[in-house]
């Protein structure tokens, strides 16, 4: 009977508008949730077969939930260096635990990049999900397979140990008095060994009887640390007639190097040090030292974490050293709107989403990572409030259908009475 179908249509209208209200409510409640993607319930009519000619049976309406996962949220600056946003396509790969991760543990995907370092040193977002990345290899490279999630691990920035950078390069700018009226003082450089210990390399210059030629002596202090230094002293230093340097030890001044063999008691490996004397001059001016620089650094501790646009996570040490830790991979899908929502503002793969591929940030269509930034929610409050009013009116109208149909049925029953 048409009246019965009208009742069912009214009920379907109530149910579908209730779903629409639930979606709108979720959107409004998550207006400030990082990287939240709004949902919407679209309405589609249901058509039933018309069994009797001239009579119409209402089919009602059904709700179809649509996710706008692929919609880009506004990228906003943040005060934390571990806050991350993706500008473009893709998701962070995350898991529910940091330590002891196995292939059986589920991986999910999120754009909520509000990460911070937890007590164990793992990068974890506000939903308690741990960021995954490719660990750095011994040679400083990254192995980045596009479909093997087990090649990634939870990124830990705490258990890295101290960083030591032995001195490998020294550059000196100085002048030796051509007339030797002022004998040059020894030049002392602080240098760092492979274990972080500090020593002094002393370079002394003595003019020879040969015009424009000096002898340089290289020694390590304290003397107890001194092993054989190659080449052996004295090392000839030859100047040009215009006062510029010609050669050091028979080679170009920027190609000269020393090999320091530490005393056996120290148990240190021999150390090659490039000694650039290209700015050593022999002018008729008092001997002086302009500048000294060396790139060694003693033991340092982690004081900060930084992430670049390519997703490389690095630890910053208080001795100015920077150590790469891992590289963040970006999970991409042909149809991200087809992903299934899970708790924690995250998603899991589905057949509708298509085949997942892990890409490096900014490569192959994957988005770039914006450090010290967060992606805002895609909810437009004004649009949601408008939808709220429309849904309320539609719900009231559907309830009116049921009331009217009920009154008509009552009239039908009263005919028998």
């Amino acid at each position: 009977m048409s009246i019965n179908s009208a009742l069912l249509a009214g009920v379907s209208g109530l149910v579908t508008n209730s779903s629409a209200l639930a979606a709108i409510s979720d959107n409004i409640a998550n207006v400030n949730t990082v990287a939240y993607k709004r949902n919407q319930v679209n309405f589609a009519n249901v058509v039933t077969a018309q069994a009797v000619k001239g009579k119409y049976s209402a089919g009602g309406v059904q709700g179809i939930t649509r996710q706008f996962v692929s919609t880009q949220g506004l990228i906003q600056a943040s005060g934390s260096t571990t806050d991350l946003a993706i500008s473009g396509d893709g998701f962070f790969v995350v898991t529910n635990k940091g330590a002891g991760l196995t292939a059986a543990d589920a991986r999910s995907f999120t754009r909520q990049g509000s990460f911070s370092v937890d007590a164990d040193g793992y990068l974890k977002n506000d939903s308690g999900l741990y960021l995954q990345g490719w660990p750095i290899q011994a040679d400083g490279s990254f192995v980045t397979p596009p479909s093997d999630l087990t090649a990634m691990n939870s990124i830990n920035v705490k258990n890295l140990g101290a960083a030591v950078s032995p001195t490998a390069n020294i550059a000196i700018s100085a002048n030796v008095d051509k007339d030797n009226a002022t004998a040059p003082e020894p030049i002392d450089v602080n240098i760092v060994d492979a274990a972080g210990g500090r020593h002094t390399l002393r370079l002394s210059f003595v003019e020879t009887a040969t015009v424009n030629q000096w002898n340089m002596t290289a020694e390590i202090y304290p003397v107890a640390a001194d092993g054989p230094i190659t080449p052996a002293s004295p090392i000839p230093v030859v100047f040009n007639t215009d006062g510029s340097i010609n050669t050091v030890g028979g080679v170009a001044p920027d190609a000269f190097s020393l090999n320091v063999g530490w005393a056996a008691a120290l148990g240190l490996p021999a150390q090659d040090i490039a000694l650039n004397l290209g700015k050593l001059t022999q002018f008729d001016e008092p001997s002086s030292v302009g500048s000294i620089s060396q790139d060694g650094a003693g033991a340092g501790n982690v004081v900060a974490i930084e992430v670049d646009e390519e997703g490389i996570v690095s630890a910053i040490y208080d001795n100015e050293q920077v150590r790469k830790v891992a590289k963040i991979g970006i999970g991409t899908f042909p149809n991200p709107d087809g992903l299934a929502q899970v708790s924690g503002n995250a998603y899991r793969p589905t057949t509708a989403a298509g085949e997942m591929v892990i890409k490096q940030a900014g490569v192959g269509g994957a988005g770039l990572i914006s450090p010290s930034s967060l992606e805002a929610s895609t909810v437009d409050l004004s649009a949601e409030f408008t939808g709220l009013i429309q849904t309320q009116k539609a719900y009231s109208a559907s309830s009116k259908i049921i009331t009217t149909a009920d009154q008509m049925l009552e009239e039908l029953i009263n005919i028998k009475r």
Side-chain angles (χ1 to χ4, degrees), residues 20-55:
L21 177 64
I24 293 171
S25 300
D26 243 358
N27 292 340
I28 294 175
N30 286 280
V31 67
N32 290 320
T33 299
V34 174
Y36 175 81
K37 307 300 181 180
R38 67 178 295 267
N39 297 307
Q40 178 176 300
V41 174
N42 291 337
F43 290 69
N45 68 316
V46 179
V47 179
T48 60
Q50 306 302 318
V52 180
K53 187 175 182 180
K55 293 183 178 181

mmCIF file of all heavy atoms in Angstrom, residues 20-55:
data_model
loop_
_atom_site.group_PDB
_atom_site.id
_atom_site.type_symbol
_atom_site.label_atom_id
_atom_site.label_comp_id
_atom_site.label_asym_id
_atom_site.label_seq_id
_atom_site.Cartn_x
_atom_site.Cartn_y
_atom_site.Cartn_z
ATOM 1 N N ALA A 20 23.505 12.172 8.455
ATOM 2 C CA ALA A 20 24.060 13.456 8.019
ATOM 3 C C ALA A 20 24.404 14.327 9.213
ATOM 4 O O ALA A 20 25.451 14.998 9.247
ATOM 5 C CB ALA A 20 23.069 14.165 7.102
ATOM 6 N N LEU A 21 23.524 14.317 10.225
ATOM 7 C CA LEU A 21 23.780 15.090 11.444
ATOM 8 C C LEU A 21 25.019 14.571 12.170
ATOM 9 O O LEU A 21 25.832 15.361 12.675
ATOM 10 C CB LEU A 21 22.569 15.015 12.363
ATOM 11 C CG LEU A 21 22.704 15.720 13.717
ATOM 12 C CD1 LEU A 21 22.871 17.225 13.518
ATOM 13 C CD2 LEU A 21 21.507 15.428 14.609
ATOM 14 N N ALA A 22 25.194 13.258 12.180
ATOM 15 C CA ALA A 22 26.366 12.672 12.842
ATOM 16 C C ALA A 22 27.654 13.099 12.160
ATOM 17 O O ALA A 22 28.652 13.447 12.812
ATOM 18 C CB ALA A 22 26.239 11.153 12.851
ATOM 19 N N ALA A 23 27.645 13.102 10.817
ATOM 20 C CA ALA A 23 28.833 13.520 10.067
ATOM 21 C C ALA A 23 29.144 14.994 10.315
ATOM 22 O O ALA A 23 30.305 15.378 10.535
ATOM 23 C CB ALA A 23 28.630 13.254 8.573
ATOM 24 N N ILE A 24 28.098 15.831 10.287
ATOM 25 C CA ILE A 24 28.300 17.257 10.541
ATOM 26 C C ILE A 24 28.817 17.486 11.963
ATOM 27 O O ILE A 24 29.702 18.323 12.192
ATOM 28 C CB ILE A 24 26.982 18.025 10.314
ATOM 29 C CG1 ILE A 24 26.590 17.980 8.836
ATOM 30 C CG2 ILE A 24 27.110 19.471 10.784
ATOM 31 C CD1 ILE A 24 25.212 18.526 8.538
ATOM 32 N N SER A 25 28.279 16.732 12.901
ATOM 33 C CA SER A 25 28.711 16.867 14.293
ATOM 34 C C SER A 25 30.184 16.510 14.441
ATOM 35 O O SER A 25 30.948 17.186 15.142
ATOM 36 C CB SER A 25 27.866 15.966 15.195
ATOM 37 O OG SER A 25 26.500 16.320 15.107
ATOM 38 N N ASP A 26 30.593 15.412 13.764
ATOM 39 C CA ASP A 26 32.006 15.018 13.786
ATOM 40 C C ASP A 26 32.881 16.118 13.202
ATOM 41 O O ASP A 26 33.956 16.436 13.731
ATOM 42 C CB ASP A 26 32.197 13.717 12.984
ATOM 43 C CG ASP A 26 32.691 12.581 13.866
ATOM 44 O OD1 ASP A 26 32.922 12.812 15.065
ATOM 45 O OD2 ASP A 26 32.864 11.467 13.355
ATOM 46 N N ASN A 27 32.442 16.690 12.101
ATOM 47 C CA ASN A 27 33.227 17.748 11.458
ATOM 48 C C ASN A 27 33.396 18.949 12.374
ATOM 49 O O ASN A 27 34.493 19.489 12.536
ATOM 50 C CB ASN A 27 32.544 18.180 10.157
ATOM 51 C CG ASN A 27 32.575 17.096 9.094
ATOM 52 O OD1 ASN A 27 33.385 16.182 9.153
ATOM 53 N ND2 ASN A 27 31.675 17.197 8.126
ATOM 54 N N ILE A 28 32.290 19.387 12.993
ATOM 55 C CA ILE A 28 32.350 20.562 13.872
ATOM 56 C C ILE A 28 33.221 20.276 15.096
ATOM 57 O O ILE A 28 34.018 21.120 15.519
ATOM 58 C CB ILE A 28 30.929 20.985 14.293
ATOM 59 C CG1 ILE A 28 30.149 21.486 13.075
ATOM 60 C CG2 ILE A 28 30.979 22.061 15.372
ATOM 61 C CD1 ILE A 28 28.699 21.808 13.351
ATOM 62 N N ALA A 29 33.084 19.062 15.657
ATOM 63 C CA ALA A 29 33.872 18.719 16.847
ATOM 64 C C ALA A 29 35.362 18.669 16.548
ATOM 65 O O ALA A 29 36.194 18.907 17.428
ATOM 66 C CB ALA A 29 33.407 17.374 17.402
ATOM 67 N N ASN A 30 35.716 18.365 15.283
ATOM 68 C CA ASN A 30 37.134 18.224 14.909
ATOM 69 C C ASN A 30 37.665 19.415 14.127
ATOM 70 O O ASN A 30 38.648 19.289 13.412
ATOM 71 C CB ASN A 30 37.314 16.947 14.081
ATOM 72 C CG ASN A 30 37.236 15.690 14.914
ATOM 73 O OD1 ASN A 30 38.202 15.310 15.578
ATOM 74 N ND2 ASN A 30 36.083 15.045 14.902
ATOM 75 N N VAL A 31 37.028 20.558 14.283
ATOM 76 C CA VAL A 31 37.453 21.733 13.525
ATOM 77 C C VAL A 31 38.897 22.126 13.854
ATOM 78 O O VAL A 31 39.588 22.714 13.018
ATOM 79 C CB VAL A 31 36.480 22.916 13.779
ATOM 80 C CG1 VAL A 31 36.574 23.395 15.225
ATOM 81 C CG2 VAL A 31 36.760 24.061 12.811
ATOM 82 N N ASN A 32 39.376 21.797 15.049
ATOM 83 C CA ASN A 32 40.750 22.129 15.429
ATOM 84 C C ASN A 32 41.661 20.910 15.496
ATOM 85 O O ASN A 32 42.783 21.003 15.985
ATOM 86 C CB ASN A 32 40.764 22.843 16.787
ATOM 87 C CG ASN A 32 40.180 24.240 16.710
ATOM 88 O OD1 ASN A 32 40.423 24.963 15.749
ATOM 89 N ND2 ASN A 32 39.402 24.617 17.711
ATOM 90 N N THR A 33 41.183 19.779 14.999
ATOM 91 C CA THR A 33 42.012 18.566 14.980
ATOM 92 C C THR A 33 43.002 18.650 13.827
ATOM 93 O O THR A 33 42.629 18.920 12.681
ATOM 94 C CB THR A 33 41.139 17.308 14.812
ATOM 95 O OG1 THR A 33 40.238 17.225 15.913
ATOM 96 C CG2 THR A 33 41.988 16.054 14.767
ATOM 97 N N VAL A 34 44.282 18.409 14.132
ATOM 98 C CA VAL A 34 45.336 18.513 13.122
ATOM 99 C C VAL A 34 45.070 17.544 11.973
ATOM 100 O O VAL A 34 44.852 16.347 12.182
ATOM 101 C CB VAL A 34 46.713 18.220 13.740
ATOM 102 C CG1 VAL A 34 47.794 18.178 12.661
ATOM 103 C CG2 VAL A 34 47.049 19.271 14.790
ATOM 104 N N ALA A 35 45.052 18.093 10.748
ATOM 105 C CA ALA A 35 44.935 17.310 9.508
ATOM 106 C C ALA A 35 43.653 16.494 9.418
ATOM 107 O O ALA A 35 43.589 15.503 8.690
ATOM 108 C CB ALA A 35 46.144 16.402 9.329
ATOM 109 N N TYR A 36 42.595 16.913 10.150
ATOM 110 C CA TYR A 36 41.321 16.197 10.056
ATOM 111 C C TYR A 36 40.692 16.461 8.690
ATOM 112 O O TYR A 36 40.685 17.579 8.198
ATOM 113 C CB TYR A 36 40.367 16.658 11.160
ATOM 114 C CG TYR A 36 38.986 16.070 11.064
ATOM 115 C CD1 TYR A 36 38.717 14.787 11.543
ATOM 116 C CD2 TYR A 36 37.938 16.791 10.483
ATOM 117 C CE1 TYR A 36 37.441 14.244 11.439
ATOM 118 C CE2 TYR A 36 36.663 16.254 10.392
ATOM 119 C CZ TYR A 36 36.424 14.973 10.865
ATOM 120 O OH TYR A 36 35.168 14.438 10.760
ATOM 121 N N LYS A 37 40.158 15.407 8.076
ATOM 122 C CA LYS A 37 39.497 15.517 6.779
ATOM 123 C C LYS A 37 37.985 15.361 6.979
ATOM 124 O O LYS A 37 37.533 14.360 7.542
ATOM 125 C CB LYS A 37 40.007 14.448 5.818
ATOM 126 C CG LYS A 37 41.531 14.417 5.666
ATOM 127 C CD LYS A 37 42.070 15.731 5.132
ATOM 128 C CE LYS A 37 43.588 15.673 4.972
ATOM 129 N NZ LYS A 37 44.145 16.909 4.456
ATOM 130 N N ARG A 38 37.234 16.336 6.493
ATOM 131 C CA ARG A 38 35.795 16.348 6.723
ATOM 132 C C ARG A 38 35.100 15.199 5.996
ATOM 133 O O ARG A 38 35.562 14.713 4.951
ATOM 134 C CB ARG A 38 35.191 17.679 6.304
ATOM 135 C CG ARG A 38 35.228 17.952 4.812
ATOM 136 C CD ARG A 38 34.560 19.294 4.491
ATOM 137 N NE ARG A 38 33.148 19.272 4.796
ATOM 138 C CZ ARG A 38 32.219 18.949 3.887
ATOM 139 N NH1 ARG A 38 32.551 18.620 2.665
ATOM 140 N NH2 ARG A 38 30.947 18.950 4.229
ATOM 141 N N ASN A 39 33.996 14.750 6.576
ATOM 142 C CA ASN A 39 33.139 13.736 5.975
ATOM 143 C C ASN A 39 31.813 14.365 5.599
ATOM 144 O O ASN A 39 31.408 15.399 6.147
ATOM 145 C CB ASN A 39 32.891 12.578 6.950
ATOM 146 C CG ASN A 39 34.173 11.855 7.302
ATOM 147 O OD1 ASN A 39 34.899 11.430 6.420
ATOM 148 N ND2 ASN A 39 34.455 11.727 8.588
ATOM 149 N N GLN A 40 31.129 13.726 4.690
ATOM 150 C CA GLN A 40 29.821 14.248 4.262
ATOM 151 C C GLN A 40 28.926 13.078 3.881
ATOM 152 O O GLN A 40 29.367 12.131 3.244
ATOM 153 C CB GLN A 40 30.016 15.179 3.067
ATOM 154 C CG GLN A 40 28.727 15.755 2.498
ATOM 155 C CD GLN A 40 29.012 16.740 1.384
ATOM 156 O OE1 GLN A 40 29.677 17.741 1.579
ATOM 157 N NE2 GLN A 40 28.510 16.432 0.192
ATOM 158 N N VAL A 41 27.661 13.141 4.282
ATOM 159 C CA VAL A 41 26.689 12.133 3.877
ATOM 160 C C VAL A 41 25.891 12.687 2.710
ATOM 161 O O VAL A 41 25.167 13.679 2.847
ATOM 162 C CB VAL A 41 25.750 11.748 5.044
ATOM 163 C CG1 VAL A 41 24.659 10.801 4.542
ATOM 164 C CG2 VAL A 41 26.542 11.082 6.156
ATOM 165 N N ASN A 42 26.035 12.053 1.553
ATOM 166 C CA ASN A 42 25.260 12.434 0.377
ATOM 167 C C ASN A 42 23.984 11.602 0.308
ATOM 168 O O ASN A 42 23.939 10.455 0.758
ATOM 169 C CB ASN A 42 26.087 12.228 -0.896
ATOM 170 C CG ASN A 42 27.244 13.208 -0.986
ATOM 171 O OD1 ASN A 42 27.208 14.271 -0.367
ATOM 172 N ND2 ASN A 42 28.275 12.859 -1.739
ATOM 173 N N PHE A 43 22.955 12.169 -0.269
ATOM 174 C CA PHE A 43 21.654 11.511 -0.333
ATOM 175 C C PHE A 43 21.426 10.934 -1.729
ATOM 176 O O PHE A 43 21.719 11.598 -2.733
ATOM 177 C CB PHE A 43 20.531 12.507 0.002
ATOM 178 C CG PHE A 43 20.521 12.926 1.441
ATOM 179 C CD1 PHE A 43 21.519 13.735 1.991
ATOM 180 C CD2 PHE A 43 19.502 12.507 2.277
ATOM 181 C CE1 PHE A 43 21.509 14.114 3.313
ATOM 182 C CE2 PHE A 43 19.472 12.890 3.611
ATOM 183 C CZ PHE A 43 20.475 13.681 4.133
ATOM 184 N N ALA A 44 20.918 9.707 -1.767
ATOM 185 C CA ALA A 44 20.581 9.059 -3.039
ATOM 186 C C ALA A 44 19.208 8.418 -2.900
ATOM 187 O O ALA A 44 18.912 7.767 -1.890
ATOM 188 C CB ALA A 44 21.633 8.006 -3.391
ATOM 189 N N ASN A 45 18.377 8.605 -3.934
ATOM 190 C CA ASN A 45 17.021 8.063 -3.839
ATOM 191 C C ASN A 45 17.007 6.551 -4.084
ATOM 192 O O ASN A 45 17.875 6.008 -4.768
ATOM 193 C CB ASN A 45 16.082 8.756 -4.824
ATOM 194 C CG ASN A 45 16.428 8.433 -6.268
ATOM 195 O OD1 ASN A 45 17.582 8.449 -6.643
ATOM 196 N ND2 ASN A 45 15.400 8.161 -7.070
ATOM 197 N N VAL A 46 16.028 5.885 -3.488
ATOM 198 C CA VAL A 46 15.831 4.452 -3.680
ATOM 199 C C VAL A 46 14.539 4.268 -4.461
ATOM 200 O O VAL A 46 13.462 4.721 -4.028
ATOM 201 C CB VAL A 46 15.751 3.703 -2.323
ATOM 202 C CG1 VAL A 46 15.511 2.222 -2.558
ATOM 203 C CG2 VAL A 46 17.027 3.938 -1.521
ATOM 204 N N VAL A 47 14.625 3.626 -5.600
ATOM 205 C CA VAL A 47 13.458 3.418 -6.466
ATOM 206 C C VAL A 47 13.003 1.974 -6.348
ATOM 207 O O VAL A 47 13.800 1.043 -6.503
ATOM 208 C CB VAL A 47 13.790 3.754 -7.928
ATOM 209 C CG1 VAL A 47 12.573 3.500 -8.822
ATOM 210 C CG2 VAL A 47 14.251 5.202 -8.056
ATOM 211 N N THR A 48 11.721 1.795 -6.067
ATOM 212 C CA THR A 48 11.155 0.442 -5.991
ATOM 213 C C THR A 48 10.303 0.173 -7.228
ATOM 214 O O THR A 48 9.800 1.093 -7.880
ATOM 215 C CB THR A 48 10.268 0.292 -4.742
ATOM 216 O OG1 THR A 48 9.193 1.243 -4.824
ATOM 217 C CG2 THR A 48 11.068 0.521 -3.475
ATOM 218 N N ALA A 49 10.156 -1.096 -7.536
ATOM 219 C CA ALA A 49 9.332 -1.475 -8.691
ATOM 220 C C ALA A 49 7.872 -1.118 -8.431
ATOM 221 O O ALA A 49 7.352 -1.349 -7.340
ATOM 222 C CB ALA A 49 9.484 -2.981 -8.954
ATOM 223 N N GLN A 50 7.225 -0.520 -9.416
ATOM 224 C CA GLN A 50 5.816 -0.141 -9.300
ATOM 225 C C GLN A 50 4.954 -1.332 -9.722
ATOM 226 O O GLN A 50 4.759 -1.594 -10.907
ATOM 227 C CB GLN A 50 5.518 1.073 -10.169
ATOM 228 C CG GLN A 50 6.435 2.261 -9.918
ATOM 229 C CD GLN A 50 6.402 2.738 -8.473
ATOM 230 O OE1 GLN A 50 5.323 2.802 -7.869
ATOM 231 N NE2 GLN A 50 7.566 3.060 -7.914
ATOM 232 N N ALA A 51 4.457 -2.059 -8.709
ATOM 233 C CA ALA A 51 3.755 -3.323 -8.967
ATOM 234 C C ALA A 51 2.425 -3.122 -9.661
ATOM 235 O O ALA A 51 2.007 -3.920 -10.495
ATOM 236 C CB ALA A 51 3.556 -4.086 -7.649
ATOM 237 N N VAL A 52 1.705 -2.064 -9.336
ATOM 238 C CA VAL A 52 0.367 -1.831 -9.886
ATOM 239 C C VAL A 52 0.376 -0.532 -10.677
ATOM 240 O O VAL A 52 0.779 0.511 -10.159
ATOM 241 C CB VAL A 52 -0.699 -1.772 -8.764
ATOM 242 C CG1 VAL A 52 -2.081 -1.536 -9.369
ATOM 243 C CG2 VAL A 52 -0.675 -3.042 -7.939
ATOM 244 N N LYS A 53 -0.080 -0.623 -11.924
ATOM 245 C CA LYS A 53 -0.109 0.568 -12.763
ATOM 246 C C LYS A 53 -1.032 1.626 -12.180
ATOM 247 O O LYS A 53 -2.151 1.327 -11.759
ATOM 248 C CB LYS A 53 -0.578 0.186 -14.158
ATOM 249 C CG LYS A 53 -0.472 1.345 -15.153
ATOM 250 C CD LYS A 53 -0.843 0.894 -16.556
ATOM 251 C CE LYS A 53 -0.694 2.053 -17.541
ATOM 252 N NZ LYS A 53 -1.036 1.650 -18.914
ATOM 253 N N GLY A 54 -0.548 2.851 -12.143
ATOM 254 C CA GLY A 54 -1.349 3.936 -11.605
ATOM 255 C C GLY A 54 -1.174 4.154 -10.124
ATOM 256 O O GLY A 54 -1.756 5.090 -9.576
ATOM 257 N N LYS A 55 -0.431 3.303 -9.468
ATOM 258 C CA LYS A 55 -0.157 3.478 -8.039
ATOM 259 C C LYS A 55 1.347 3.659 -7.840
ATOM 260 O O LYS A 55 2.156 2.973 -8.467
ATOM 261 C CB LYS A 55 -0.642 2.275 -7.232
ATOM 262 C CG LYS A 55 -2.161 2.124 -7.206
ATOM 263 C CD LYS A 55 -2.574 0.973 -6.331
ATOM 264 C CE LYS A 55 -4.092 0.851 -6.269
ATOM 265 N NZ LYS A 55 -4.527 -0.275 -5.397
#
